[in-house]
């Protein structure tokens, strides 16, 4: 088995890539959806499902069966559509067991302990480090690649790797490391885990921020391209140099616009929590961050 | 070889663009000057590799491919390449980006109305550098050695080539210059640290900020 089929969907509002992954040789056409997006308009606090419905339309057109709805981490810049997709398409929502540390960190900030299970049971499955699993007849495994957040993970599916925000395309570099528990040192070490993969493996990123006017959004670079062309992490850059630059660039950086609604919802697979009189609410801690 | 269909800019309103891939096959300089605001893959027709473009854009061979250039001519060549490579749903956007703009599709780029404070556009930089180099080599040819006239000749030939093909190596080099890279200003105004353990805001942002980059 070589590389699986990968269809990417780019959300220009949050610069997020969502992927549908499957194999042509699986008679049941089972697939995984990785890092979905629930559209959320912050000023009006309204959600919409345009982006998620595009995934649903594609899955239905291809007559795929969703086996897994995977999250690479708890996103800070968009709300996941995992729960919405599960309701429409089925499948198991899964994430790394390291989400438990994220819940421990963030639930006290939001005071959402009443409706955010501390054991991560809103998710259908929590992966152990290095755990192997399958998507139809595709072999997959999960590796821990912290740095951007302490819970970031990479899904290696045959000859492809879905890295979330562990690393970005070569001309963009890497994800910020200033979220709680983030670590530039870990980010560097995680990149070296990816660089240990065979050179021809394809690395699919969680976001793309194309340098203005130079190209359109792209989703993939090979391991070899990342090793020798990544602006921040290429072979030859030592750890101290990377860490110094990363920390300097992260100092004083603006908070992602959707950080507060995203994190509290994403710890519940994209749900906004218990409704009061039929309305769900987002909690915005004041003078806390 | 699959036949390549066309689609008018007006008909484009009825297409689910989330299920399609728009490929802009103009030069990087043209793309930089003006492009569709909705996501497009940049793949100049002279170096188009259909499979590589699709792979890096998350598209498959049966993904609808909508090919775009300035007015439609180059897009036909590029669309044929896609079709010959096995892509099954390839269409040329008639009238290219000009027709799209007339049909109300938003565009972005350096070619938009400029303010006095904005940096010189890329074509203006190319004209300045080409002129300066020609002058420089001409002076050297007059004052130092006639062999330097070859430098001026080289620049002149390059400009003629650029005029004929709309492909400019000098523009490609200038695009990599620091002043032509993405701005460093923060899009959200006041910025703050998000290290919850520190619990305090500090300083003005210096990155796009609203992202995970």
């Amino acid at each position: 088995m070589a590389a699986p089929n990968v269809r990417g969907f780019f959300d220009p509002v949050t610069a997020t890539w969502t992927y549908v992954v499957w194999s042509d040789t699986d008679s049941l056409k089972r697939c995984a959806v990785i890092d979905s997006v629930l559209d959320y308009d912050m000023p009006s606090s309204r959600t919409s499902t345009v982006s998620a419905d595009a995934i649903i339309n594609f899955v239905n057109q291809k007559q795929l069966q969703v086996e897994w709805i995977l999250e690479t981490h708890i996103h800070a810049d968009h709300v996941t559509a995992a729960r919405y997709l599960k309701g429409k398409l089925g499948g198991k929502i899964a994430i790394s067991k390291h989400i438990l540390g994220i819940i421990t960190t963030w639930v006290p900030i939001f005071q959402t302990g009443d409706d955010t299970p501390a054991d991560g049971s809103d998710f259908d499955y929590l992966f152990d480090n290095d755990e192997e699993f399958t998507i139809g007849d595709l072999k997959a495994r999960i590796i821990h690649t912290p740095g951007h957040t302490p819970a970031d993970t990479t899904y290696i599916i045959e000859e492809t790797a879905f890295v979330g925000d562990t690393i970005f395309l070569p001309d963009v570099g890497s994800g910020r490391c200033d979220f709680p528990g983030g670590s530039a040192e870990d980010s560097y070490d995680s990149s070296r885990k990816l660089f240990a993969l065979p050179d021809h493996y394809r690395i699919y990123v969680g976001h793309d921020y194309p340098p203005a006017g130079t190209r359109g959004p792209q989703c993939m670079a090979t391991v070899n391209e990342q090793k020798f062309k990544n602006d921040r992490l290429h072979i030859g850059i030592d750890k101290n140099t990377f860490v110094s630059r990363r920390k300097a660039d992260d100092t004083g950086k603006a908070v992602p616009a959707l950080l507060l609604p995203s994190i509290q919802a994403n710890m519940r697979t994209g749900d906004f929590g218990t409704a009061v009189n039929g309305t769900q609410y987002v909690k915005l801690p004041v003078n806390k961050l | 070889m699959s036949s390549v269909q066309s689609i008018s800019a007006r008909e484009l309103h009825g297409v689910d663009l989330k299920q399609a891939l728009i490929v802009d096959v103009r030069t990087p300089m043209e793309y930089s000057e003006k492009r569709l605001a909705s996501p497009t893959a940049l793949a100049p027709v002279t170096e188009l590799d259909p499979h590589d473009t699709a792979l890096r854009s998350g598209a498959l061979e049966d993904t609808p491919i909508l090919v775009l250039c300035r007015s439609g001519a180059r897009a036909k060549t590029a669309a044929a390449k896609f079709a010959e490579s096995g892509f099954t749903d390839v269409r040329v956007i008639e009238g290219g980006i000009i027709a799209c703009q007339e049909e109300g599709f938003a565009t972005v780029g350096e070619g938009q109305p400029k303010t006095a404070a904005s940096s010189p556009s890329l074509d203006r930089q190319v004209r300045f550098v080409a002129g300066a180099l020609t002058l420089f080599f001409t002076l050297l040819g007059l004052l130092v050695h006639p062999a330097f006239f070859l430098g001026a000749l080289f620049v002149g030939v390059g400009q003629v080539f650029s005029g004929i093909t709309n492909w400019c190596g000098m523009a490609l080099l200038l695009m990599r210059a620091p002043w032509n890279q993405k701005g460093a200003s923060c899009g959200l105004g006041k910025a703050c640290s998000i290290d919850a353990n520190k619990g305090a805001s500090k300083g003005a942002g210096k990155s796009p900020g609203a992202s995970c980059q």
Side-chain angles (χ1 to χ4, degrees):
Chain A
M1 183 73 68
N5 292 315
V6 179
R7 177 70 168 98
F9 291 84
F10 186 71
D11 170 38
V13 176
T14 62
T16 303
W17 280 102
T18 298
Y19 300 102
V20 181
V21 186
W22 76 101
S23 158
D24 277 335
T25 56
D26 177 31
S27 59
L28 296 179
K29 302 186 80 169
R30 287 163 290 193
C31 73
V33 178
I34 302 175
D35 288 345
S36 58
V37 173
L38 184 72
D39 306 301
Y40 177 68
D41 180 60
M42 185 75 180
S44 63
S45 193
R46 294 196 70 87
T47 63
S48 70
T49 58
V50 174
S51 297
D53 289 339
I55 307 297
I56 293 170
N57 290 342
F58 178 79
V59 166
N60 289 336
Q61 283 171 15
K62 287 282 185 185
Q63 297 180 308
L64 301 173
Q65 295 185 45
V66 176
E67 185 174 15
W68 293 99
I69 299 170
L70 304 173
E71 299 289 330
T72 55
H73 63 295
I74 294 295
H75 313 284
D77 60 352
H78 69 271
V79 178
T80 176
R83 185 172 294 207
Y84 175 74
L85 290 178
K86 182 183 176 183
K88 296 288 185 181
L89 298 171
K92 291 172 288 189
I93 304 174
I95 196 169
S96 158
K97 68 177 183 182
H98 293 283
I99 186 187
L100 300 180
I102 301 294
I103 292 174
T104 302
T105 299
W106 282 96
V107 161
I109 294 172
F110 293 121
Q111 290 294 300
T112 51
D114 289 346
D115 57 4
T116 308
D119 60 358
S121 57
D122 267 354
F123 292 81
D124 297 307
Y125 192 78
L126 301 182
F127 288 110
D128 277 321
N129 287 345
D130 303 317
E131 183 169 343
E132 296 181 351
F133 64 108
T134 57
I135 303 164
D137 60 358
L138 297 168
K139 292 179 181 173
R141 66 187 168 99
I142 181 171
I143 60 172
H144 188 207
T145 48
H148 173 62
T149 79
D152 275 54
T153 51
T154 291
Y155 296 100
I156 299 173
I157 304 170
E158 299 293 348
E159 296 184 353
T160 59
F162 296 85
V163 300
D165 297 357
T166 302
I167 195 170
F168 291 139
L169 290 182
D171 57 352
V172 179
S174 69
R176 61 195 292 180
C177 297
D178 57 337
F179 296 133
S183 162
E185 290 84 355
D186 287 351
S187 179
Y188 183 88
D189 293 340
S190 292
S191 73
R192 270 48 197 170
K193 289 184 187 177
L194 298 177
F195 292 175
L197 295 169
D199 277 357
H200 69 282
Y201 273 36
R202 298 171 186 167
I203 290 179
Y204 286 88
V205 297
H207 294 288
D208 189 29
Y209 309 103
T214 61
R215 61 173 175 81
Q218 297 180 1
C219 58
M220 188 282 294
T222 64
V223 170
N224 185 65
E225 289 168 335
Q226 291 284 15
K227 281 164 73 173
F228 294 101
K229 295 180 182 174
N230 189 282
D231 177 55
R232 289 176 178 272
L233 287 162
H234 64 79
I235 298 294
I237 286 197
D238 67 87
K239 190 171 183 176
N240 288 339
T241 302
F242 168 77
V243 169
S244 299
R245 184 180 169 198
R246 183 75 263 173
K247 287 183 175 177
D249 285 355
D250 287 347
T251 302
K253 188 166 265 186
V255 172
L258 299 183
L259 177 129
L260 293 172
S262 293
I263 289 184
Q264 62 189 285
N266 291 343
M267 290 189 295
R268 294 181 294 236
T269 67
D271 187 71
F272 285 93
T274 305
V276 179
N277 291 332
T279 301
Q280 292 177 295
Y281 291 85
V282 172
K283 288 189 175 180
L284 303 178
V286 176
N287 295 329
K288 186 69 176 175
L289 301 184
Chain B
M1 173 181 145
S2 306
S3 61
V4 173
Q5 305 293 316
S6 293
I7 183 170
S8 69
R10 178 164 295 176
E11 290 171 321
L12 209 56
H13 286 296
V15 174
D16 181 359
L17 294 179
K18 283 189 173 288
Q19 303 293 339
L21 172 65
I22 301 176
V23 182
D24 189 327
V25 298
R26 297 173 301 153
T27 66
M29 186 163 65
E30 291 175 284
Y31 183 83
S32 173
E33 289 288 316
K34 184 194 293 182
R35 59 194 177 277
L36 288 181
S38 53
T40 56
L42 170 62
V45 65
T46 51
E47 55 190 50
L48 175 64
D49 179 338
H51 282 292
D52 189 67
T53 299
L55 186 64
R56 292 177 193 277
S57 304
L60 303 167
E61 284 191 350
D62 60 355
T63 300
I65 305 290
L66 304 167
V67 189
L68 177 85
C69 65
R70 182 175 180 277
S71 58
R74 282 171 287 176
K76 289 178 183 170
T77 304
K81 284 189 181 182
F82 272 103
E84 289 164 6
S85 299
F87 290 80
T88 56
D89 185 359
V90 185
R91 282 172 283 179
V92 171
I93 300 176
E94 291 172 1
I97 195 164
I98 297 172
C100 289
Q101 197 170 21
E102 288 172 355
E103 229 2 89
F105 288 94
T107 60
V108 294
E110 295 169 5
Q112 306 306 307
K114 297 180 179 68
T115 66
S118 62
S119 62
S121 65
L122 202 56
D123 67 331
R124 194 171 157 198
Q125 293 178 49
V126 169
R127 277 181 274 145
F128 176 81
V129 173
L133 283 174
T134 303
L135 188 62
F136 179 65
F137 284 122
T138 301
L139 287 173
L140 287 177
L142 289 171
L143 301 175
V144 181
H145 191 281
F148 283 105
F149 284 125
L150 291 175
L153 182 64
F154 178 76
V155 174
V157 168
Q159 289 301 295
V160 171
F161 176 79
S162 170
I164 294 171
T165 64
N166 217 0
W167 177 260
C168 182
M170 189 179 291
L172 285 175
L173 289 173
L174 284 168
M175 282 175 65
R176 296 176 180 275
W179 59 85
N180 286 324
Q181 298 300 306
K182 184 167 59 175
S185 62
C186 172
L188 288 182
K190 188 177 179 182
C192 65
S193 163
I194 49 176
D195 184 342
N197 297 321
K198 294 176 185 170
S201 299
K202 58 181 182 184
K206 58 181 180 179
S207 76
S211 71
C212 286
Q213 182 185 359

